[in-house]
Amino acid sequence: MARTVVSRSLASGSRAVVSGRGSGNPTLPTVPFAPTFSNVGVTILTQTSVRVTWTSDQSIGTPTVNYGTTASYGSSATGSSAFNCSVDITGLTAGTTYHYRVRGSNSSAQETVSGDGTFTTQADPIPGDGATSGIESGITYTDYFIPSNIDDTGATDVSAAIQTWLLTVPNGASTTQHSRIRPNSATSVYLISGGKTSQTGFHLKGTTGAKRTHITFWGEGHWSSYPITQTTNADSTQRSAVTSAYSTFNKDSAWASGATIIRRGSGTSGFNATLFFENCDDIQFCGWTIDGENTSIGVTGSGGQLVTGLPYENVSALQIRAGCNSIRFHDNRIVRWRGFAILENNLGSGSVSPTGTKLYRNYIEGGEMGISPVDTNGHESWHNIIAYTALIAYDLEGESTTNQIANVNIHHNIFDKWGISDWYQTCWWIAANSASNALTKHVDTITITDNYVKEGQRRGALTNGASGKGGLAIRANKTNPKDGWVISRNYTDWADEQSSGSGRAYNYWATGSNFTYTDNIIPMTGTLEGSTAVEDYLFNWRRDSDNVADRPTGTVTISGNVT
């Protein structure tokens, strides 16, 4: 007759169901009890695979995991006989929650089955990049060509003419039906000039009650080759693939055709932009070259490589303003730039923060700042190359009591030669600043992962950073809170020269909580006040206003960093 042993509790809190089978007078089992499982855990391997592990007090013949998107499971995976069980599950869907349970039998066929658990696969960190043409697929386009009577040789200023013509282009019908603005030809050159306060050019401006929507600007250019395709930098092979590909990359020979917008102007105050979006939803801009004509890029002088271009500090190549949602700027080149390359803020009608901005596969060269989100929610950038930035490559800036930055994801980008100006003291790879100690707006949930910093400069004796050069230099200053930061798997092959002052890889001059800094590769040289502790060597925890130590509160994780 059959014998059933009722369930009993596992050390891990799971439930065991044990059964044994026989007939007549059964032989007593060699092992009197079913196995006990403990330490059940799930390790995320990739976006579509996981490894489930657990420990058993008896050898399990065929460790098994039942899994599925509901508690009914529906699928199974198995591993090899062991006390320390391990089962890999592949073919999962990225960003999906799965139910699972572990089970296994001992040599007497007594089985233990755990209770239900869940895990969520990692969301694909690289959203769909679109077709090889550099324009998003899955959209039906109605074309509107810039008229041939608007000069496309670059000989005359067409700022006003472009602005007037754009008013005639209707909104698209939906997210899958766009009005598409195209140049007269793939070799067209449009000159946009005027002072900083002149609001003409490639400006698309709606109102809070009548937004501009579902429009694509396609310059017909695209990358024929590009050095960043990876989805992780978790091991040395993946890192080497990026560094090797970038060492032979040429922004000109890798670019296939495409129209050009040249920016000229004058003045040292006010704000203007070559590309300007306000109260716009679902806008795609791709396949263009925006040229700032700064011939000093790459020329080393006593004042730094970009000093001659810095009087243009407030002119931006792209400005995303109030009321914008889902602006996608990708597969473009910003070259020889002078001011802010990309600026995002809540200025303009309605003062509503931009949301859902996506920046990817752009080459951004020069500029006082590379990318500067001043006020945003849901900003994401990946697969960009940001080179020769004068001051700060990525500047998360809070400048007024209304500015708040949240849910920013900066990943899988290349940064090359940032902080190369002598004229200003604050030069950082990434900075989270506020203009006043009195501001209390948050800079929250910032994720900075898998970025490659080829070379950081930080020239001169910097009062706000280390003397000399630096690699992964991040600064969070003033007293506005910065909560929920994750900085992981970033790497540099450029040694950070330490000093006895504030020369750390990370200067956290702020209040805040819940901070993760893991698995970054940061070569360092020099000594730091005789300290050998990794945290002391990497971090300068202090409050900007009073120089008092101010380590973040809550969960602070610092591990796996290589110095």
Side-chain angles (χ1 to χ4, degrees):
M1 58 182 294
R3 181 173 68 87
T4 301
V5 180
V6 297
S7 64
R8 60 188 179 84
S9 298
L10 300 177
S12 61
S14 299
R15 184 182 64 190
V17 177
V18 185
S19 63
R21 292 180 174 84
S23 61
N25 296 316
T27 302
L28 291 176
T30 304
V31 181
F33 299 107
T36 296
F37 295 163
S38 60
N39 302 320
V40 179
V42 178
T43 300
I44 304 297
L45 299 178
T46 68
Q47 286 75 52
T48 59
S49 64
V50 301
R51 177 171 295 154
V52 182
T53 57
W54 69 96
T55 302
S56 173
D57 64 346
Q58 301 170 37
S59 180
I60 301 301
T62 306
T64 300
V65 178
N66 302 136
Y67 65 96
T69 55
T70 70
S72 297
Y73 310 111
S75 300
S76 296
T78 59
S80 300
S81 175
F83 284 85
N84 295 316
C85 303
S86 178
V87 175
D88 287 355
I89 304 174
T90 60
L92 302 173
T93 301
T96 302
T97 297
Y98 286 87
H99 290 257
Y100 78 104
R101 67 184 179 191
V102 302
R103 63 195 307 164
S105 301
N106 60 19
S107 59
S108 298
Q110 294 174 304
E111 184 181 37
T112 296
V113 181
S114 77
D116 181 70
T118 61
F119 63 83
T120 301
T121 53
Q122 181 180 347
D124 188 347
I126 308 301
D129 282 356
T132 56
S133 65
I135 190 169
E136 292 175 358
S137 57
I139 299 175
T140 300
Y141 297 98
T142 300
D143 286 327
Y144 296 86
F145 288 87
I146 297 176
S148 58
N149 62 354
I150 295 179
D151 178 36
D152 69 341
T153 67
T156 58
D157 178 14
V158 296
S159 303
I162 289 287
Q163 181 65 53
T164 299
W165 176 75
L166 283 176
L167 295 175
T168 69
V169 177
N171 290 339
S174 68
T175 57
T176 59
Q177 294 178 292
H178 273 212
S179 294
R180 181 167 62 180
I181 294 165
R182 296 176 61 176
N184 185 43
S185 76
T187 59
S188 293
V189 178
Y190 297 102
L191 173 61
I192 306 297
S193 62
K196 287 186 169 185
T197 57
S198 59
Q199 297 293 328
T200 56
F202 284 78
H203 287 202
L204 198 64
K205 186 175 181 180
T207 65
T208 54
K211 289 190 173 185
R212 297 306 309 269
T213 59
H214 315 310
I215 295 174
T216 288
F217 293 76
W218 184 37
E220 302 184 29
H222 68 277
W223 296 108
S224 58
S225 63
Y226 201 70
I228 325 175
T229 58
Q230 85 283 20
T231 59
T232 183
N233 293 325
D235 60 48
S236 59
T237 300
Q238 293 160 329
R239 292 191 295 270
S240 295
V242 177
T243 57
S244 176
Y246 184 60
S247 68
T248 60
F249 173 75
N250 182 288
K251 71 178 189 299
D252 297 319
S253 61
W255 182 252
S257 192
T260 298
I261 301 169
I262 292 177
R263 172 70 197 192
R264 293 178 193 153
S266 60
T268 58
S269 63
F271 284 84
N272 194 12
T274 304
L275 314 174
F276 178 100
F277 301 128
E278 182 178 317
N279 285 307
C280 294
D281 283 354
D282 184 26
I283 306 298
Q284 176 186 198
F285 191 100
C286 60
W288 298 79
T289 295
I290 303 101
D291 188 351
E293 294 190 320
N294 180 5
T295 58
S296 67
I297 296 288
V299 178
T300 303
S302 60
Q305 286 142 313
L306 293 182
V307 168
T308 57
L310 285 173
Y312 276 69
E313 72 272 11
N314 290 330
V315 170
S316 48
L318 166 65
Q319 190 171 155
I320 301 169
R321 307 220 321 171
C324 285
N325 178 60
S326 189
I327 307 297
R328 285 103 62 206
F329 184 85
H330 64 91
D331 294 280
N332 300 292
R333 299 190 306 166
I334 299 176
V335 299
R336 304 193 300 176
W337 202 252
R338 301 169 183 264
F340 289 90
I342 297 176
L343 178 63
E344 187 174 6
N345 57 45
N346 67 348
L347 299 177
S349 175
S351 300
V352 176
S353 302
T355 59
T357 297
K358 309 295 182 188
L359 312 173
Y360 62 92
R361 258 194 337 248
N362 301 292
Y363 179 86
I364 301 171
E365 176 187 75
E368 176 185 347
M369 307 288 187
I371 299 175
S372 186
V374 174
D375 182 89
T376 186
N377 193 323
H379 171 107
E380 182 178 16
S381 68
W382 69 96
H383 285 191
N384 299 292
I385 299 171
I386 303 170
Y388 296 102
T389 306
L391 304 180
I392 300 169
Y394 227 109
D395 187 28
L396 307 171
E397 190 87 20
E399 294 184 341
S400 75
T401 56
T402 63
N403 293 142
Q404 183 158 325
I405 301 171
N407 304 309
V408 172
N409 191 358
I410 304 167
H411 59 100
H412 300 93
N413 300 288
I414 293 176
F415 297 84
D416 190 5
K417 296 182 179 65
W418 55 265
I420 57 179
S421 172
D422 276 346
W423 80 278
Y424 195 73
Q425 292 179 329
T426 303
C427 296
W428 294 87
W429 169 43
I430 292 177
N433 298 316
S434 60
S436 169
N437 282 326
L439 297 184
T440 58
K441 287 295 181 181
H442 288 229
V443 183
D444 290 348
T445 318
I446 310 299
T447 302
I448 305 167
T449 60
D450 299 294
N451 297 287
Y452 169 43
V453 178
K454 183 181 185 299
E455 186 174 322
Q457 295 286 338
R458 286 197 293 174
R459 294 172 175 270
L462 309 178
T463 60
N464 291 325
S467 298
K469 304 165 184 176
L472 304 182
I474 299 175
R475 183 190 192 213
N477 81 322
K478 307 299 183 183
T479 56
N480 57 323
K482 296 167 178 66
D483 299 335
W485 280 51
V486 176
I487 304 166
S488 295
R489 298 185 304 277
N490 303 288
Y491 64 107
T492 179
D493 49 18
W494 190 256
D496 195 345
E497 296 180 3
Q498 293 296 312
S499 71
S500 60
S502 59
R504 315 294 211 276
Y506 193 95
N507 280 265
Y508 196 89
W509 299 350
T511 58
S513 63
N514 302 322
F515 176 84
T516 299
Y517 193 93
T518 56
D519 301 313
N520 299 284
I521 299 177
I522 320 164
M524 296 211 181
T525 62
T527 59
L528 184 61
E529 301 170 352
S531 176
T532 58
V534 171
E535 184 169 343
D536 291 341
Y537 203 63
L538 287 173
F539 297 90
N540 182 29
W541 305 118
R542 66 173 180 142
R543 188 174 298 170
D544 197 26
S545 58
D546 54 17
N547 203 30
V548 174
D550 195 20
R551 193 174 188 269
T553 60
T555 302
V556 178
T557 303
I558 302 170
S559 66
N561 300 289
V562 178
T563 60

